[in-house]
Each structure stands twice: as structure tokens, then as C-alpha cells.
Amino acid sequence: MATPRTRWLFAGQLGPLFDDGGPILLVEARSVFARRPMHRAKAHLILSAMRHRVRELGDRVEYRQVDRFDEVVDGRDDLEVIDPTSWAARRFVRERGMRVLPSRGFITSEADFRDWADSRGGKRLLMEDFYRTVRERTGLLMEGAAPVGGQWNYDHDNREPPPKGAARLGLPDPWWPVEDDIDEQARADLDRWERDGLITLVGDDGPRRFAATADEARRALDDFVESRLMDFGPFEDATLSGDWTMAHSLLSAPMNLGLLDPRIVVDEAVAAYDRGDAPLSSVEGFVRQIAGWRDYMWHLYWYLGESYPTDHNALEATEPLPEAFVQLDPDRIEANCLSETVDGLRRHGWAHHIQRLMVLGNWSLQRGYDPLELNHWFTGMFVDGTPWVMPANVIGMSQHADGGIVATKPYAAGGAYINRMSDYCGGCRFDPKVRLGENACPFTAGYWAFLDRNQQRLAGNSRMRRPLAGLRGLSDLEVVVDQERRRDTW
Ligand code: FAD
Ligand code: SF4
């Protein structure tokens, strides 16, 4: 009988879904941490998850700690891989002739997406249409051919502002992992590598907040379903300064590490609805995030091609990232919404979707930061950042650098949106209603300056007709634009 191949597992493949029982190779390559500055909490989480997996696998694993992957895998002909999650890794394994199995870790397969995209001739690949096809094919939240409850989408029941006057949503604290000797060693190793000048780390490495094992991920999932899922929908887009997790699941990191099967995650949410423990609007909203958005972004990574991030800069944005971003230093920022978000990111290596899209992304879009640089920054600074998840989210959705392939219009908004959906403005030295003068909100004024700078580029976009008409009606536009050009405090 032929000896079984050794399966080389990558850092996104650390859970049971990627293990079929044979011998395993895990390689901890220090070069991965040295490519660009990385958040401490992220480096810690990856090391911790990998080393916990090594301990779990015991004799079945060959564990190597080296500088570069090729030191271990070059010259070997016994390796197989589950198709890895980046263009670079896929090239690496193919160049070495390894056996490649189809990717796992998503609700739909890459072949499913290709069929769907081909069936539309590669045109109008809208998330909403993809999501409905996924529901139909998987039977998730379906009654025969119809969506449960008669509607595909419950967005109108969701997306409420935060409760007035509340400092927190009032939900129980999420379940937190308890650190062990592996975490302690991971932290010590990272400190040493940093001291030796081998890696650059940013941000705090407070207590580890994200699951590093499949067991921990399961506990985090159960806790979310029990105590926060019911409020997920209504407060999906809301922000409170005193409540960093709101009703979010914190499951992106364990899912992206491969510790948690997304199909199990959505099945558990649907089971909560079936038991009457969570309303349909919240459950559908959550299922949409995973079976819709997460799978869609994954497939777009391959569909849009390896050069998508470097090929696109439709708004010709070239500003370098400010030190406040690079160093995760909230003290350099006066705008309360931005300062609080950067502070949360510094502490946890995580921010929720609206902070990513409507605070960090919106600000970067308005200020014309280089989209590729921003893409790298997001990848390094977020515990759940991976090469596959970022391009469609950052280059496409948040920076509109692809000219409208992923999102039909730029996610640009002034202070009024932030004021409606958060409690940030009350504690800010700027005023969201003011666009000129000392108190002018840099988001409100920045919004008009952004539109002014890009009006030619956006003129053909029918969804931008109204904002551009608003721009032309501003009597003080020239002074506002000039003010923002000179702005040195924000
Ligand atoms: P929840 O709010 O509880 O949502 C549930 C799950 O839905 C998430 O865990 C995630 O797996 C999935 N999801 C929802 N939206 C998206 C999306 N647009 N793309 C991919 N998955 C989605 N997600 C990442 O996994 N890694 C990232 O590095 C990342 N960076 C982002 C950067 C920007 C600029 C934007 C706009 C979005 C980004 N997202 C990223 C998507 C989303 O913001 C995060 O998945 C979410 O905030 C993670 O927190 P959570 O697990 O509590 O999510
Ligand atoms: Fe942010 Fe403007 Fe509100 Fe201040 S006033 S918190 S800068 S939106």
C-alpha cells in the first residue's frame, strides 16, 4: 500500500475541516511576520493558533520553525495541500508540483461560483443575486422555493441607530478565551524577534480576545448565538464608544484561520431561529454576512485576478498613510470617531464593519490615501486580515478604486451619517453640522472636498447625480475646499 501523503496545512487551515486523518506538516515561517508591520495581537493569534494545533495533533504532525517555507518543502515529493488562500501561495505549491485538493472553508465551492458567473456571461455579478442563489442551492432559510418569511432581505428592519442615551447595548460580555503557556511563549517569542530587529509590530497585545482553537471557536459561536445574535440585525450598523463589540460575532478571525466551518456557523444561527430564540431579521442579516458577503468576497478575489489591487486606482489617490494610522496612535487624532476607532484597533486588532467602512475607509477615501498602501495596512493591522479578504473590501468597496466593479458608488459620507449611527459626535470638538471654520467637522467638509476633487471622475455614475447636484448648490464650496486642502488638525 502506498504511504499516505503528508498534508501541509497553512495558517488558514487549522481546524478539523482541513484534516482527513493522515500525517500533517505545519511550518512556522518567520518571514510571514516580517513582510510588513503587523499588529501584535494578530501575530500573537496566528502563532498561538498554529502552536495549539501542533499540540492537539501530537505525533501526527511534523512541526518546523524556520525562516522561510522553502527551507522545509523544497525537494520533497510527499506533500499535498488543500488549495491555499492567496495567489502567491497557490503559485508556490504549483511550482513545486505538490498535489492540490480543492479549497475548503466556505459555504460554496469555487466551481459553484464559476457556474454562477458563467450563467450570467460574467456580467452583473451582484452580491444580492449571488446570495439568493446560495440560499436556493443550500436550502438555508428556505421553505421549498421561497425564502422563509416570504422575503429575501430584512434590511429595513435592521440598521437602527444605537439606543438614545445608552452607553452600551446592555448585552452580556462576550465569552473570552483564557490564555495558557502557549500564549505566553508566543508573546515572548514575538518580543524577542522584535528586539532582534526581525519583525515590526504595532499596537497592543492585551489579553487574547479571539479563538485560537476549534474548541474555543465553538464556545465563541455558542456564546454569540445565545447572547448577541438576537440583537445582531437591529444594531448591525450602530456604534457606541463604550461598547467595542456591540452585537457582533467576533467570528471572522476563527473562520479565516479555518478553526470554524462557516456552514456550521450559519446552521447554528438558523437553528436559533427555528427554536424561536432569535428573530428572522437578525438571523437573515447574519446569514447574509457569511453565506453572502464572506463567500462573495472570497470568490471575487479569484475572479478579479491577482493584479486587481495593483491595476486599479480609478480616483487617482496617491496620499501616503498618516503616522497616526501607521503607528495606531489615537493621540494624534482630534476627530472623536476616528480617534476612538484607531484606539480600538490599537487595543484589539479589530473594529466592526461600520468602523472599518464608514470611519476608517470613508476617511481614507475622502483624504485620497493610496488604495494599495491602505490595503496592506488593513491586512497587517486586523486580526482577521488575509490577502483574499482585503482587495474587494478595500480597493473595491471602501475606496472605489476599481471605478465601480464591486460597489456601484463610493461609500463617502459626511458627519451627519456618523452622528446618526453613533454617539461619537457628542464627545467631539468638531460639529457634524458645520463645514466651515474652527468647528468644521473634517468628515462633513471632507465629503464636499472629496466630491469636488472627483466630480469629473464620478459624473457618469447615475447614483452620484444627487450628491453632485448638491455640490453645485454649495455657495461656499471654494472656501470649504481650500480649508480642507490646508487642514492640519483632524
Ligand atoms: P459580524 O458583524 O459578526 O459578521 C459576521 C461575519 O460575516 C463576519 O465574521 C465575516 O466572516 C462575514 N462578513 C461580513 N461582511 C463581510 C465582508 N464584507 N467580507 C468578508 N466577510 C464578511 N472581514 C474579514 O474577515 N477580514 C478582514 O480583514 C476584513 N477587512 C475589512 C475591511 C474593510 C475596509 C471592510 C469594509 C470590511 C472588512 N471585513 C473584513 C468585513 C467585515 O467588516 C468583518 O468581517 C467583520 O467586521 C468582522 O467582525 P465580526 O466577525 O464580528 O463580524
Ligand atoms: Fe467625527 Fe465629525 Fe462627529 Fe467629530 S463631529 S465625531 S469628526 S463625524
Side-chain angles (χ1 to χ4, degrees):
M1 212 173 76
T3 39
R5 282 175 185 262
T6 298
R7 182 169 297 170
W8 176 23
L9 292 177
F10 295 86
Q13 304 180 331
L14 297 175
L17 180 63
F18 298 87
D19 179 12
D20 296 321
I24 302 273
L25 169 68
L26 273 166
V27 185
E28 184 184 301
R30 214 159 36 204
S31 56
V32 169
F33 301 93
R35 283 183 197 136
R36 294 201 172 80
M38 193 183 271
H39 199 295
R40 269 192 183 75
K42 177 186 180 127
H44 175 168
L45 181 65
I46 296 173
L47 271 192
S48 175
M50 208 148 199
R51 293 176 182 183
H52 275 100
R53 191 65 177 135
V54 170
R55 186 175 281 177
E56 283 168 0
L57 289 168
D59 292 350
R60 276 178 52 218
V61 68
E62 174 190 344
Y63 180 48
R64 304 288 300 274
Q65 293 173 294
V66 289
D67 277 331
R68 295 187 330 270
F69 292 121
D70 54 10
E71 294 171 43
V72 177
V73 302
D74 276 7
R76 283 178 72 154
D77 59 6
D78 64 325
L79 297 179
E80 69 174 22
V81 295
I82 293 174
D83 221 355
T85 57
S86 73
W87 284 101
R90 286 196 172 179
R91 205 170 28 252
F92 184 92
V93 299
R94 281 171 175 73
E95 278 167 5
R96 285 159 179 81
M98 290 176 206
R99 185 162 105 190
V100 179
L101 305 170
S103 61
R104 301 179 189 175
F106 294 86
I107 309 255
T108 51
S109 70
E110 292 176 44
D112 289 341
F113 187 83
R114 265 195 311 275
D115 287 352
W116 176 76
D118 289 350
S119 73
R120 335 193 117 221
K123 300 227 171 64
R124 280 184 61 79
L125 301 181
L126 302 179
M127 198 304 280
E128 184 66 34
D129 296 346
F130 168 71
Y131 167 65
R132 291 182 189 186
T133 310
V134 175
R135 295 262 304 270
E136 284 164 349
R137 282 194 189 170
T138 56
L140 272 169
L141 286 178
M142 296 295 290
E143 267 162 353
V148 167
Q151 281 169 227
W152 291 103
N153 189 321
Y154 290 84
D155 276 356
H156 64 269
D157 293 340
N158 292 336
R159 311 202 155 168
E160 286 181 19
K164 262 209 163 21
R168 300 174 45 87
L169 280 185
L171 302 172
D173 265 357
W175 170 86
W176 300 126
V178 177
E179 290 195 9
D180 61 11
D181 58 311
I182 292 181
D183 291 293
E184 200 180 321
Q185 188 61 51
R187 198 173 270 131
D189 287 347
L190 288 167
D191 286 347
R192 185 163 39 83
W193 298 348
E194 192 183 30
R195 269 199 311 276
D196 293 347
L198 301 172
I199 58 173
T200 305
L201 298 173
V202 201
D204 295 354
D205 184 13
R208 176 167 62 79
R209 292 306 198 191
F210 296 88
T213 67
D215 279 352
E216 288 184 351
R218 181 67 214 202
R219 293 190 62 178
L221 168 63
D222 292 345
D223 173 74
F224 167 71
V225 170
E226 195 183 308
S227 62
R228 298 199 302 294
L229 173 62
M230 57 290 260
D231 285 311
F232 178 85
F235 300 116
E236 207 178 336
D237 286 2
T239 302
L240 286 168
S241 327
D243 197 340
W244 68 276
T245 66
M246 300 295 283
H248 293 281
S249 69
L250 309 176
L251 294 175
S252 52
M255 276 193 279
N256 295 355
L257 285 167
L259 298 172
L260 199 53
D261 181 343
R263 180 64 209 232
I264 294 178
V265 177
V266 291
D267 283 346
E268 287 299 331
V270 173
Y273 168 69
D274 290 340
R275 290 194 303 272
D277 289 347
L280 183 55
S281 52
S282 276
V283 171
E284 189 283 316
F286 185 68
V287 168
R288 163 185 300 270
Q289 300 310 309
I290 294 176
W293 281 109
R294 182 172 188 270
D295 263 44
Y296 179 69
M297 292 312 204
W298 159 253
H299 293 306
L300 282 185
Y301 176 67
W302 304 111
Y303 187 81
L304 297 171
E306 186 171 9
S307 63
Y308 169 79
T310 43
D311 280 353
H312 293 97
N313 192 351
L315 302 182
E316 298 173 64
T318 54
E319 287 298 316
L321 295 197
E323 279 302 292
F325 274 42
V326 176
Q327 303 297 338
L328 294 183
D329 183 358
D331 295 341
R332 296 178 192 232
I333 307 173
E334 291 183 43
N336 197 34
C337 51
L338 200 52
S339 172
E340 289 265 352
T341 301
V342 169
D343 190 42
L345 182 56
R346 175 179 68 78
R347 284 185 284 131
H348 309 293
W350 183 92
H352 62 69
H353 187 67
I354 289 302
Q355 292 172 313
R356 298 183 201 208
L357 185 63
M358 300 313 291
V359 180
L360 296 170
N362 183 17
W363 176 260
S364 306
L365 176 69
Q366 291 188 4
R367 300 292 146 174
Y369 296 165
D370 183 309
L372 186 60
E373 215 190 304
L374 189 69
N375 192 71
H376 294 322
W377 179 79
F378 266 103
T379 311
M381 293 305 122
F382 280 80
V383 284
D384 53 5
T386 63
W388 66 263
V389 81
M390 238 25 125
N393 271 310
V394 175
I395 306 282
M397 193 195 302
S398 124
Q399 298 304 294
H400 206 69
D402 64 5
I405 301 174
V406 172
T408 48
K409 78 182 196 38
Y411 277 91
Y417 173 84
I418 295 174
N419 193 24
R420 186 167 66 249
M421 297 306 291
S422 77
D423 62 354
Y424 285 141
C425 299
C428 186
R429 89 152 186 83
F430 301 112
D431 182 338
K433 290 188 285 304
V434 175
R435 64 172 177 263
L436 199 57
E438 261 298 288
N439 299 336
C441 163
F443 277 86
T444 301
Y447 172 75
W448 295 116
F450 164 79
L451 285 185
D452 179 66
R453 189 170 73 246
N454 290 295
Q455 48 180 319
Q456 298 303 331
R457 298 184 188 98
L458 298 172
N461 184 332
S462 59
R463 296 196 63 199
M464 294 307 289
R465 221 169 271 149
R466 269 183 59 185
L468 290 175
L471 179 79
R472 285 188 289 274
L474 282 196
S475 53
D476 51 7
L477 177 62
E478 229 173 277
V479 217
V480 171
V481 169
D482 188 51
Q483 164 188 278
E484 292 311 300
R485 196 177 299 125
R486 294 159 188 271
R487 181 178 284 286
D488 53 11
T489 57
W490 44 272

